Amino acid sequence: MSDSLLDPSIQAMLDEAGVNGDSNQEESVPVSADSQAEVQRDPFEVDLNLKSFAPITQFFLDQPSKYYDDPQYYKSVLTGEGDAANRVHAVLTRYLTCKDPKDRTVYRQQMVNAYWELVHTIAPKMLNPDTPISKRLMLRFGVLLPSLFSAEQKELFSKVILPNKSGEPVLYMDEWFQEIASGRLNPSMTDESRPTKSTGGNDAAEQQRLMALQSKNSGRMQACESQVKVKEAERTSLESELQSYVNTLTEHTPMLELPGHMQAYSETQKKAISEINERLRRLLKCDKELSGNLRELAEIKQSYVSVEQKLAAGPSLVAANTGNLDTEFGTVRQMAKMTIGRQGNQFPVFTREFFHCIPKTTGFRENVLSILSWVESIDPGAFCRIHKNMSNRIVPFVLLVPTYGDFGFCWEPFDRYNRITSRGRIVIPMYPRDLTISILRAVADLRWQVAKEKASYYWMEEGLTGQYYQWIDSQKLKGDLKSFFVEDYILWMTKEANGVQRLDKTVRGIFWRFMPFPQALKDDLKKRSLVYAELCQKDMNRAMSDGY
């Protein structure tokens, strides 16, 4: 680290930070309270009627906040955190004041473990609305010591919008821990599922079983409600058409040659009778299916309410949620490592030495949502999942981790207890070299895993994964199959979508079939090159065939 980082105020703040005393904490400004007041939709409820992201109208505040101007910020972060705070304070002091590059490297490595121990102690406090905002900002942005900002960076971070105004499931790390602790968000899936140990014994195990059953019921209920809404919309449409035909049928023209009498049915009206019979037949079929769906929905809701009552009557889930939070902490730390990679910069504290992003390429929530919206505009099926021949748009949970990594990825394509309507989970580093590429990596990973799960045992033979695997195998390419796919997906979105041909012909055909561009973009591309015109012609041929 350059000596310019050692502002005169740093050492004074380090000396002043008495982490063992009972100092007065700053006035609490809970982020979640503002968020609850301004969010118009619950990010935890999957709304299958939404077809796109709402446009971002404001990326930053007009006036900067004063959170980072507080001279007690650093002290407030560490106060009350015990040995973890003492260790961070000691290591950070040595790191910032050390002149020897070799020693500084040692302290830099020590800071990684010390910092994550501090995160572990602070994470459970995110559920408390009185937690000082400095602790939240440290988890959210990695800002431990504001003096490590440059003047421009300080102004940038002071203008970040803290509440989730969008209502989309894009969460910062402090919000993630808060929702895990509250039980609203289930712990992330791990390779090995260990039974939760608690003093509740069998009661705790029963509560966990009921929570899993409730999650399954919730998924079934959402899927069934979706089916009901589709059938209700179909019924409304048929009734409207029927009403139109009946109106046509009841309109009679007077006969000029026989005053006082009306003409017989015209050919149009006779056709209307036929159409009325057809609509009545379809209405009866629709009503039969709707009745079955309503009965199923009533049964699921009854089961849901029954389990909910058992959960309410059971013992407190505080111990279980605490265990979940401990498990999730380890998972999130692993996620952070994966965004960085083996050769990346593991230093966890925000410092101007390592931050090189411009405002629009920093992984703030609004920037990420804007890029996700762009991704969906080119790849409309990126967040869609097929169930009973219905395409349901389900945006995954997005965890923003404050790391200097470049690798976004998908942690799980959907919840283990609800494969139908649950949200998957993708992870995005906040300070990458290229935010767009990091997000594309995560979306590509999600695309691959969803397609693989859909094909199940036949993933090497059918669908997107099957055809791509067979092409890789035919080329005798060695390496990680998914990594090849991710890199090709990035080319698909950044080059091929602009008419720049960078993919192999076979891969282009696979992507064109299974991850199609919107029709307007297809029409534009076929005017640019014969390659895309041929692909459009193949689309027309498939549409005319029975096997399409």
Side-chain angles (χ1 to χ4, degrees), residues 46-62:
V46 177
D47 188 349
L48 299 178
N49 294 319
L50 291 176
K51 301 304 179 184
S52 63
F53 294 100
I56 303 298
T57 57
Q58 183 182 20
F59 285 86
F60 297 96
L61 299 172
D62 296 329

Side-chain angles (χ1 to χ4, degrees), residues 93-200:
T93 303
R94 290 194 291 267
Y95 175 75
L96 293 176
T97 57
C98 181
K99 303 296 183 181
D100 187 339
K102 293 183 179 179
D103 290 341
R104 185 170 294 154
T105 300
V106 173
Y107 296 141
R108 179 175 162 183
Q109 293 173 345
Q110 292 178 352
M111 191 64 199
V112 176
N113 287 331
Y115 178 87
W116 281 102
E117 286 181 12
L118 180 62
V119 171
H120 195 189
T121 62
I122 292 178
K125 299 179 181 179
M126 293 302 100
L127 195 57
N128 184 356
D130 296 327
T131 298
I133 195 172
S134 58
K135 296 181 186 290
R136 295 182 180 274
L137 294 177
M138 190 209 80
L139 263 62
R140 181 170 294 201
F141 303 125
V143 178
L144 176 60
L145 189 61
S147 294
L148 298 180
F149 278 131
S150 67
E152 295 79 8
Q153 292 164 357
K154 183 177 180 180
E155 182 178 9
L156 170 63
F157 278 75
S158 296
K159 289 186 176 181
V160 175
I161 300 172
L162 299 183
N164 185 358
K165 296 183 177 181
S166 68
E168 296 291 350
V170 180
L171 305 178
Y172 291 108
M173 200 164 75
D174 64 301
E175 296 172 326
W176 191 270
F177 285 134
Q178 175 179 321
E179 301 303 341
I180 291 290
S182 69
R184 294 185 71 203
L185 184 61
N186 293 328
S188 300
M189 184 170 54
T190 55
D191 291 336
E192 295 182 4
S193 180
R194 299 179 179 179
T196 303
K197 295 181 179 180
S198 68
T199 56

Side-chain angles (χ1 to χ4, degrees), residues 408-470:
F409 61 90
C410 172
W411 185 263
E412 56 187 82
F414 37 69
D415 188 275
R416 57 164 88 72
Y417 297 123
N418 174 14
R419 291 171 171 250
I420 302 173
T421 59
S422 64
R423 300 189 189 275
R425 302 186 185 204
I426 64 176
V427 186
I428 306 295
M430 292 184 63
Y431 312 132
R433 286 174 292 184
D434 191 323
L435 182 61
T436 299
I437 298 300
S438 297
I439 292 176
L440 284 175
R441 289 183 183 278
V443 175
D445 196 354
L446 176 68
R447 265 287 201 179
W448 179 264
Q449 292 197 47
V450 169
K452 188 175 180 180
E453 291 291 339
K454 179 183 178 181
S456 188
Y457 298 108
Y458 305 99
W459 74 269
M460 291 188 291
E461 303 171 16
E462 299 179 353
L464 172 64
T465 57
Q467 292 203 17
Y468 189 80
Y469 168 80
Q470 291 169 22

Side-chain angles (χ1 to χ4, degrees), residues 140-305:
R140 181 170 294 201
F141 303 125
V143 178
L144 176 60
L145 189 61
S147 294
L148 298 180
F149 278 131
S150 67
E152 295 79 8
Q153 292 164 357
K154 183 177 180 180
E155 182 178 9
L156 170 63
F157 278 75
S158 296
K159 289 186 176 181
V160 175
I161 300 172
L162 299 183
N164 185 358
K165 296 183 177 181
S166 68
E168 296 291 350
V170 180
L171 305 178
Y172 291 108
M173 200 164 75
D174 64 301
E175 296 172 326
W176 191 270
F177 285 134
Q178 175 179 321
E179 301 303 341
I180 291 290
S182 69
R184 294 185 71 203
L185 184 61
N186 293 328
S188 300
M189 184 170 54
T190 55
D191 291 336
E192 295 182 4
S193 180
R194 299 179 179 179
T196 303
K197 295 181 179 180
S198 68
T199 56
N202 293 332
D203 288 340
E206 177 64 12
Q207 291 290 89
Q208 290 293 320
R209 187 190 70 80
L210 290 174
M211 289 174 64
L213 180 59
Q214 191 73 327
S215 180
K216 291 180 181 179
N217 285 337
S218 176
R220 292 176 59 209
M221 188 162 60
Q222 288 179 5
C224 194
E225 284 182 339
S226 176
Q227 294 283 344
V228 167
K229 290 178 181 178
V230 168
K231 290 302 173 184
E232 288 176 338
E234 181 183 350
R235 180 179 63 181
T236 300
S237 176
L238 289 172
E239 289 174 345
S240 177
E241 293 175 6
L242 183 63
Q243 184 66 48
S244 176
Y245 284 121
V246 169
N247 291 338
T248 300
L249 192 66
T250 56
E251 293 177 357
H252 301 290
T253 305
M255 296 184 64
L256 298 178
E257 62 274 20
L258 294 175
H261 298 279
M262 298 292 179
Q263 291 184 354
Y265 286 139
S266 65
E267 291 300 320
T268 300
Q269 289 175 315
K270 291 178 181 178
K271 289 182 180 180
I273 294 175
S274 177
E275 293 294 338
I276 288 173
N277 289 331
E278 173 64 16
R279 296 303 183 278
L280 288 173
R281 185 187 65 79
R282 290 170 58 184
L283 268 174
L284 288 174
K285 180 182 178 182
C286 178
D287 181 71
K288 181 179 179 180
E289 294 173 349
L290 178 59
S291 297
N293 290 334
L294 288 171
R295 284 194 300 271
E296 182 182 0
L297 181 60
E299 293 173 359
I300 296 173
K301 281 196 172 185
Q302 183 178 3
S303 176
Y304 184 90
V305 171

